[in-house]
Structure formats: C-alpha cells, structure tokens
Amino acid sequence: MAKMIFVNLPVSDLARATAFYQAVGAEKNEQFCDETASCMVFSDTIHAMLLTHDKFRQFTPKKIADARTSSEVLICLSAESREAVDQMIGKVQAAGGGVDPCPKQDYGFMYGRSFEDPDGHIWEVMWMDVAAATAAQSAMADA
C-alpha cells in the first residue's frame, strides 16, 4: 500500500472551506465527514482534513495559529504541467481564494504558484520536469 498524507487544517467555517476545496478540484469523501470535519481528496494518497476549531483542539493542546498572520506550514501539491498549475490557480481565483501570496517560481524545468484558502492556509502548486532538473543538477556537479 502506498503511503498516504492527511493534512489536518483548522477552519473557521467548515461549509465555506469545504465548498472552496471542492471548487479547486478536491473531492469530498463523505465516509470521513460529519458536522466537525470534511475529508477532501486530492488524489489516492493526498487528503486534506478540514476540522472545526473545536475538533482540531481535540488533537493538540497548542493554540491554533491564525494562518492569516502566522506561518504554520507550507503545503505543496504537484501538477502534471505548467498549464495545470495555472488552471488550478484559476479555479482558486474563481472560488474567492487568494492568488500568488508568495512569488511565482519559474526556473524553466520547474514552475510554481501559490494560493491562500479562506482561512489563510498557503498551498503551493508545482510542476517539475524531473529529467531536466536531473540534467541541471548533473551539469552543476560537473562544473
């Protein structure tokens, strides 16, 4: 079985957060949802668990960070192409998310943009041509 990742995010409005993630392409897995949580599926191995603050507090004694004013984590999703990166950012913009809160990255073999969800969590969307990246690393090592 492939390893899976479940990113747990505290959200202030579960319905709004769920609608946002559905709008940007995640699918809601009803099996793991209730009035305190939504399981949003990006792929077979990547899930975002959107949790109300009360639910999130059940897992940690620490204060919940305000993602609009504090950096808690940067999450990066891979994309199949440069165009797929831009398409996802377009969906984010249409859904009311913040577009490009971090600088765009364009190194030829790697292209990335970022977005901010309604609670201020920052996600990066990145495409990379692995063969070109490997060739660039080999060229630098040989220099």
Side-chain angles (χ1 to χ4, degrees), residues 4 7 9 29 33 48 51 58-59 69 73 78 123 132 143:
M4 300 170 70
V7 178
L9 297 174
N29 181 343
C33 298
L51 307 172
Q58 293 176 14
F59 300 101
T69 60
V73 65
S78 63
W123 290 74

Side-chain angles (χ1 to χ4, degrees), residues 17 21 25 40 44 53 60 62 65 67 70 91 96 98 103 105 108 113 117 121 140-141:
Y21 281 94
M40 307 306 296
D44 290 342
H53 284 214
T60 180
K62 293 183 179 182
S70 300
K91 289 178 184 178
Q105 299 175 39
R113 297 182 65 186
D117 76 5
H121 304 290
M140 287 174 45

Side-chain angles (χ1 to χ4, degrees), residues 15-138:
R16 179 186 69 184
T18 301
F20 174 81
Y21 281 94
Q22 287 175 309
V24 302
E27 293 182 27
K28 185 177 177 185
N29 181 343
E30 293 289 347
Q31 182 180 4
F32 300 106
C33 298
D34 62 21
E35 66 280 350
T36 66
S38 286
C39 178
M40 307 306 296
V41 180
F42 285 97
S43 73
D44 290 342
T45 59
I46 303 169
H47 301 72
M49 292 298 301
L50 308 177
L51 307 172
T52 63
H53 284 214
D54 286 341
K55 181 73 165 186
F56 194 86
R57 283 186 193 100
Q58 293 176 14
F59 300 101
T60 180
K62 293 183 179 182
K63 178 181 172 187
I64 296 173
D66 180 349
R68 289 184 189 92
T69 60
S70 300
S71 227
E72 59 185 345
V73 65
L74 293 175
I75 307 158
C76 185
L77 292 173
S78 63
E80 295 177 3
S81 65
R82 295 172 66 93
E83 295 77 18
V85 170
D86 290 334
Q87 287 171 357
M88 184 156 194
I89 297 301
K91 289 178 184 178
V92 165
Q93 188 167 28
V99 174
D100 295 316
C102 303
K104 292 181 186 179
Q105 299 175 39
D106 191 348
Y107 302 104
F109 63 87
M110 186 170 70
Y111 176 68
R113 297 182 65 186
S114 59
F115 69 87
E116 194 170 78
D117 76 5
D119 288 278
H121 304 290
I122 295 177
W123 290 74
E124 296 175 316
V125 185
M126 185 74 63
W127 165 82
M128 182 171 47
D129 179 339
V130 176
T134 302
Q137 282 182 326
S138 292

